[in-house]
C-alpha cells in the first residue's frame, strides 16, 4: 500500500427540503471536486455530520462517494458507537475498496488514556483495513501523544493520524516521536490555519474542510509547498485565514462551510440541527461575506452574492470574548447616537 | 398528569459473554429494584450506555424495563442523533406508556444556546410525550438557565429538568427562576452528593445511579428528608459519599457502578468499552473496596467480597491531581524502602 | 483560642479622587458594620484588592480595620509574594492582635499539589498566628482536599478553611474528611449562594462580600439558621440570589460590590483598575438595579437610586453565553423594529 | 528607535543559601550570555519570578542586568500591581536606558477585554518608554487579538507583542491583522517549540527561556533561519524539543530551567517556592536527564552530570494524563514482577 499523503476533502452531506440525503447533489459535489484535482475524499467525518446520520445513511453516503471518486483514494470515517459496529463498518469500507478508515477518539464519556489505547489496539488487531487515528479534542476524547506513538510503533494497521487539535506543538511532537522510527506513518493536519506551517515542518498533507469550498486554493498551497515555492504558499495561506475564520466561526458548525458550498453554486440545504431566527439572519450575513472574500480571491462569479454588509448583525453566534466586546461597543454606539 | 417527583433509577445494561444484552439479568435487576420501592426507572441514560447501543437495542431495553416496572413510572432516555429520530423514539415511548422522555443537550459538536433552544422548542412542539431536559455538561452541551427558563415557561410539554452538573448554585437558580411561575415544574438532582442539600432547598427528587446499587439507602434518605428527619438524612448522605466516590471515580465510567451491582449479586458483565490490563486490576480493587463500604453500611452479605486492600493499586485511573500526588508518594516510599 | 465561626466581612478599600486609600471612609465603613453586629472582619482578601495595594498599604489597611473593629475578631489576608514576606505579614498581624490570617493558594504560576502542601507546611511551622487556608480556584491554584486534610490533621496552626470554589460537593467532602477527626476545624463558605445549604450541612459560617452591603440580611440568615428557622433562612437566601448575581457579574470584579456600598451611602470611589466608557455606563445601570433590589428587600432609602431601567444596556460585560444570546436577541429585535 | 527583533533571554534570578538575590552570580550569567551573542535581555518576566520579588528587588535586578548587558537592548518586565506602580517602573526603566518594557495581561482577577484594553490604553498614553504586550494566558488574563490590534494601530508606544500562548493560529492571526498596517510592529514568540515555525511564517524573533541555557543552539536556529538555511534550522528545532520538554514539564516552574543553568555550570540556588521531598528527588533526575541531552547535543562538559537514569522516578510532578498512565503501568509492572 502506498503512503497516505496529499489533500483529502471532508465532505458535507447535502439534504433535500424534507431533510433526506440529496444524493444527486452529493454526486455532483464529488464529481466537481474530483475534477478540481483533490487527492482524495473523506466522508463521514465531523464535516459530514456522521453523528446525525443513521447507520444505514452513513453506509449510503460512503457508497456514493466511492462511486463518484474517479478512482481517487477514500479515507472513510468509521467512528461507530461500539467496537463491533466499528469493525462492521471497517469491513464494509474494505469491501467498497476504501483506502483506509479514520476513527475519532470516543466521544460523550470521558475516558482514560489506558482505555482509549485498549480500544484502538482491539480495533487495530481486528480491522481488515488500514486505520487513521483522528484527534479532535474539541469534540471527542483526546488521544495522547504517548498512546499514539505506541499504537504507531506496535500496530501495522495504524498507518497515520489526522490532527484537528489546532495545536502546532503537538503536531511537531507527533512528527518528532514517530517519524524517525516509522517514516511512512502519515501525519495529516486537520486545521486549515496550520496547513503551510505543518507542511513546512514535515507533515504529509491534510484533511481540510475548506478544500471542499475552494479546492483550487488549497491544492495550490499544497503544490507550491511541495515545489518549495514558500513565498506563494504563505501568501495564499494568509488569504485563506479570512475565509476559514468566517466558515468555522459561523453559528452551528458545520453550517458555515455549507454556506461556502452554496456560494460555489451547490444546494447543500440546511444541516441537521435547527437554527434560531436570529442565527438564520446571521447566516445570511455570513454567506454574503464569504462571497465577498471569494470574489476578492479570484472567484468573480461569487461577486453577485456579495451584498453590502449591513454591519449590524454580529457574525458569530458562538462569539469569542472579543466578538462580545465588539457587539457591546456596537450597541453602545447606537445608543449614544 | 401528576407532578414528577421521587427517585428514578438510571439503569445499567447487563451484557452476556458475547457482549449482547443479557435480557434475563436486566429483568431480574428491574424486578429487584421495583421490590425495593424505588419511585421509577430511567433507562437509556448515561448509566445505560445509550450511546453504545444500536437504535434497535435501545428500543429493546425500553420494552424490557417497561414490562418489568410493576406499574412504576418510566422516564425514558431519548437523546437520538437527530430531531426526526428523537421524535420517532418519543412516539415509541408514548406507545409503551412511559411517563416522560429525558433528552440531553446535543453532544459532540459545540452548539450555541440559540440553536439548543431552537432544538428543544422543535421537540416540545412535536413530541407526543412529556419532556425532561437533561443537563450533563461534562458529556454534552450545557443548557443555560435562561434557555431552560424560557422552555419551562413557554412549552407545556417540558415538565422538568434533571441536573447532573454537580453545580449547586445552578440548581438553586433553576428553582428560583422557574418554580415561582410554574410550581409543578420538576427539578431533579442527578448527582448523589447533592441529594440531601437539593431536597432541603426545594428539589423534587433525583435520578441517581447509586439508587441501583443501594436502593435501600437512597430511598431512606429521600423518605427521611420528606418526613423532616434531617439528622438521619444527613448522616446517611455523608456515609453515601464514600461509596459514590469509589463508583464514580473508578476507571471507564460507568464500570464503577456496574461493580456495585456485582457486589449486590448481579452479573452485569463488562461495559461496552475495553479496559487495559492495568485497569482490570484496578477494578478488582474497586470491587473489593465497594464491598467493604457496603459491609460497613449494613449489608453484611457484602463482607465476603471485602478482601484486605492491597494498598498498592491506585483506585482511580482517571486520577485527580490529588490521586496522582498520592501515587507519587506511594512510589517514592516504596523506592526508599 | 476559640473556634472560628460566624460571618466575617471581606472589606473593600475606598479610594479618594487621587486613588489613595480613603482612610476616613474605611473607618466609617468598619464602624458601621461593627454596629450592624457582624461577627468579624476580613481585610486584604480578593474583595479588598490586596493584590493591587503596595505592601505598606496592606499594613495600613490592617491597622485601620483592627483599630475600628470594636474588639471583634479580625481574619487578615496575608497572601504575600513569597514565604518570607508572608511570615513577616503574619508577625505583623499577630502583633496587631488579629485572630488569624487567611492565605490563598499561590497565584500566577501553576503549581503541583506537592509544592502547595510543602508551602503551607512551611508557613504552618513558622507562623506565630493561626492560619485559615483560602481556596479560590478561579483566581489562584486550587488546594486539593487531600492536601487540606493532611494540613488540618498535622498542623495545629491550620485552624480552618475558607472555600470560595462555589463547589458544594467539595465543601461537603471537606466536612466529611476533616470534622470527624478534628471537630473544631473551621469550615467557612465564601460564596453567598451556598450560605444556607452550607450551614445546613454543617458549615461554621462564612466570609461573604455581600455582608458588607447588606449585613442585616446576611446576619439574619445566619441567626435564623442557627435558631433552626430554616423556612425564614431559605426565603432570605433565595432573595439574596438576585442581589448577589448583580454584584458578582458586574464588569471588573469587585466593582459590583463597591456599587452596593455606594447605594448604602458610602463613597468607595473607583477600584484600582480602569473601566472602559461602555463599562462605566453599564455600572450606572448596575447601581440602579442594585438600588431597586434593595428597595424591594426592605431598604426604602435605596428607592431614590432605583431609576427606571433603560433595558438597553447589557448588565454584564463578562457575559455568560446566555447573556450574549439575550444581547443578540435584543440587537436583532431592534433591527427588525 | 529601531524595530525590535532577534532573541531576548528571559533571565532567571539566582539566590544564595539565605534566599537573597545572588548578585555576583546574576552578573556572571548576564556576562556569559552577552558573550554568547544573544540579542538582548528580558529581566523580570515569568522566568525571573518577578511576582516573588519585592518591588525593590525587581529594581535591583534590572539595574544589574542593564549594567552587565554590554550595550545590548534590555526589554524589562514591568507588570506591577497597579497602574501607578507600572508607570513608576516604566520611568525607572526609561531612566536606566532600557529599550522597552513588557507588560503582561493583569493576573489574579478575571477581567473583561474592555477593561484590559482600557488598562493598556492608559499605560500607553502615559508611559515614557515603549511597551511590548505580553500574552501568557496560562498565568494571566489573555489579551484578545482584536484588542491587541486596536492597541497596535492606535498607540505609538505599543511597539510589539510577546506571545507565550503556544497557540500558532493566534500567532499567525496577529501577524495577519497587524503587520500589513504596521509592518514595524514586533511579533515575538515566547514558546520554544514554535521558534522555527514562527520565524518561517514572518515572526520577528523570540523571548525564549531556553536561550539562557543553550544560547548557542537558539542563536544558531535564529541565524540559520535568517540565512534561509531551513534544513539546519529545523534539525536543531526538533532536537530542542526534548530539552525544552524536560525543563518546562519539571515540577514547580521555573525550577526546570534553573536546573539547566546548573548543568551549564551556574549556581542558581533554589527558586522562591518550596518543593516537597519527592519533588526534590524528581529534580535530581531532571538535572541528570538535561545533562544527558546536552551531552548528546554537543556539550561534552555536561556528560559528567549525566548519570544512568534510575527509571523509577517519574519525571514530572505535574504530569500529563499520559505521564500518569505511564506511572500506573510502571507500578503495575513492578507489582506483578
Amino acid at each position: 500500500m502506498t503512503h497516505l499523503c496529499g489533500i483529502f476533502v471532508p465532505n458535507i452531506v447535502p439534504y433535500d427540503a424534507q431533510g433526506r440525503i440529496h444524493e444527486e447533489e452529493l454526486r455532483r459535489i464529488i464529481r466537481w471536486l474530483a475534477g478540481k484535482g483533490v487527492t482524495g475524499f473523506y466522508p463521514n467525518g465531523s464535516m459530514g455530520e456522521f453523528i446525525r446520520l443513521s447507520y444505514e445513511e452513513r453506509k449510503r453516503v460512503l457508497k456514493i462517494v466511492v462511486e463518484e471518486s474517479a478512482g481517487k483514494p477514500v479515507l472513510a470515517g468509521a467512528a461507530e458507537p461500539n467496537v463491533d459496529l466499528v469493525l462492521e463498518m471497517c469491513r464494509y469500507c474494505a469491501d467498497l475498496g476504501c483506502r483506509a478508515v479514520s476513527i475519532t477518539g470516543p466521544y460523550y464519556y470521558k475516558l482514560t488514556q489506558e482505555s482509549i489505547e485498549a480500544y484502538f489496539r482491539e480495533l487495530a488487531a481486528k480491522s481488515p483495513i488500514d486505520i487513521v487515528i483522528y484527534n479532535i479534542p474539541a469534540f471527542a476524547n483526546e488521544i495522547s501523544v504517548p498512546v499514539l506513538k505506541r499504537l504507531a510503533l506496535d500496530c501495522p494497521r495504524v498507518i497515520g493520524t489526522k490532527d484537528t487539535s489546532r495545536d502546532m506543538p503537538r503536531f511537531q511532537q507527533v512528527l518528532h516521536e514517530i517519524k524517525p522510527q516509522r517514516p511512512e506513518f502519515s501525519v495529516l493536519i486537520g486545521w486549515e490555519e496550520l496547513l503551510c506551517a505543518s507542511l513546512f515542518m514535515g507533515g504529509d498533507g491534510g484533511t481540510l474542510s475548506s478544500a471542499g469550498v475552494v479546492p483550487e486554493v488549497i491544492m495550490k498551497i499544497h503544490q507550491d509547498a511541495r515545489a518549495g515555492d514558500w513565498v506563494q504558499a504563505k501568501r495564499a495561506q494568509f488569504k485563506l485565514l479570512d475565509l476559514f475564520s468566517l466558515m468555522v466561526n459561523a453559528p452551528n458548525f458545520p453550517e458555515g462551510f455549507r454556506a461556502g458550498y452554496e456560494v460555489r453554486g451547490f444546494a447543500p440545504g440546511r444541516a441537521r440541527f435547527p437554527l434560531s431566527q436570529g442565527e438564520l439572519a446571521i447566516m445570511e450575513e455570513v454567506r454574503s461575506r464569504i462571497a465577498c472574500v471569494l470574489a476578492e480571491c479570484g472567484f468573480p462569479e461569487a461577486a453577485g452574492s456579495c451584498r453590502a454588509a449591513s454591519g449590524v448583525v454580529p457574525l458569530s453566534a458562538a462569539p469569542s470574548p472579543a466578538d462580545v466586546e465588539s457587539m457591546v461597543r456596537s450597541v453602545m454606539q447606537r445608543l449614544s447616537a
Side-chain angles (χ1 to χ4, degrees), chain A:
Chain A
M1 282 285 187
T2 54
H3 172 59
L4 206 69
C5 61
I7 303 294
F8 292 77
V9 186
N11 314 112
I12 62 161
V13 176
Y15 305 103
D16 65 18
Q18 282 71 47
R20 291 167 309 202
I21 297 173
H22 188 335
E23 301 198 352
E24 269 322 297
E25 197 66 3
L26 178 56
R27 289 183 190 279
R28 200 164 73 96
I29 289 172
I30 302 301
R31 283 196 299 262
W32 177 74
L33 288 169
K36 293 291 184 185
V38 302
T39 311
F41 298 97
Y42 178 30
N44 289 340
S46 303
M47 186 57 40
E49 294 178 281
F50 74 98
I51 210 168
R52 294 169 178 163
L53 304 183
S54 71
Y55 188 63
E56 288 310 314
E57 285 177 320
R58 283 193 287 272
K59 286 185 164 176
R60 184 71 192 146
V61 164
L62 273 184
K63 192 152 189 300
I64 291 170
V65 170
V66 169
E67 285 173 6
E68 303 294 346
S69 61
K72 291 169 183 289
V74 173
L75 174 58
E80 299 296 329
N82 60 51
V83 167
D84 288 346
L85 286 172
V86 174
L87 290 172
E88 194 179 305
M89 187 59 87
C90 288
R91 284 187 291 272
Y92 182 77
C93 293
D95 292 346
L96 276 180
C98 293
R99 169 64 189 87
V101 295
S102 167
I103 304 178
T104 65
Y107 45 85
Y108 196 74
Y109 300 108
K110 301 293 168 277
L111 295 164
T112 63
Q113 290 297 315
E114 290 265 324
S115 297
I116 291 169
E117 181 171 349
Y119 171 72
F120 280 115
R121 282 188 183 273
E122 187 171 343
L123 295 176
K126 298 179 180 168
S127 170
I129 183 170
D130 286 345
I131 294 173
V132 167
I133 308 262
Y134 176 11
N135 187 49
I136 181 165
F139 296 163
N141 283 272
E142 177 146 25
I143 298 126
S144 77
V145 176
V147 165
L148 185 63
K149 180 178 185 176
R150 284 194 295 271
L151 294 171
L153 300 190
D154 295 352
C155 309
R157 267 298 179 218
V158 174
I159 60 154
T161 189
K162 172 195 174 181
D163 200 312
T164 307
S165 63
R166 73 186 289 288
D167 181 340
M168 187 70 193
R170 179 192 157 104
F171 190 88
Q172 294 181 174
Q173 208 190 344
V174 170
L175 291 173
H176 182 53
E177 296 285 338
I178 301 178
K179 285 273 187 183
Q181 294 174 67
R182 193 176 169 193
E184 83 288 3
F185 187 80
S186 181
V187 186
L188 303 168
I189 195 79
W191 194 261
E192 275 79 334
E193 295 177 305
L194 296 174
L195 174 56
C196 208
S198 70
L199 293 173
F200 171 70
M201 293 305 294
D204 296 287
T207 65
L208 302 167
S209 301
S210 305
V213 176
V214 284
E216 304 88 342
V217 174
I218 300 284
M219 294 315 296
K220 183 71 167 38
I221 293 176
H222 186 249
Q223 285 148 10
D224 285 340
R226 288 295 170 231
D229 186 349
W230 293 109
V231 174
Q232 289 281 2
K234 286 194 282 182
R235 190 176 302 149
Q237 172 73 75
F238 278 113
K239 286 198 112 169
L240 183 62
L241 296 186
D242 296 323
L243 176 65
F244 177 66
S245 172
L246 275 170
M247 297 195 297
V248 83
N249 291 319
N252 215 340
F253 175 95
E255 280 291 19
F257 291 89
R258 299 171 70 89
Y261 279 89
E262 228 177 321
V263 173
R264 291 307 298 268
F266 295 98
R270 287 279 316 288
R272 276 198 176 165
F273 201 84
L275 286 173
S276 70
Q277 286 308 106
E279 289 177 323
L280 286 170
I282 291 171
M283 283 308 302
E284 280 298 306
E285 179 79 10
V286 168
R287 207 170 293 118
S288 167
R289 294 206 196 173
I290 290 173
C292 301
V293 171
L294 286 184
E296 208 185 291
C297 286
F299 299 91
E301 67 277 21
S305 310
C306 167
R307 291 169 297 92
S310 65
V312 288
V313 183
L315 262 188
S316 166
S320 69
D323 293 320
V324 171
E325 202 198 316
S326 126
M327 282 160 60
V328 173
R329 269 164 194 275
S330 144
V331 177
M332 300 304 295
Q333 278 165 3
R334 294 172 57 83
L335 293 175
S336 59

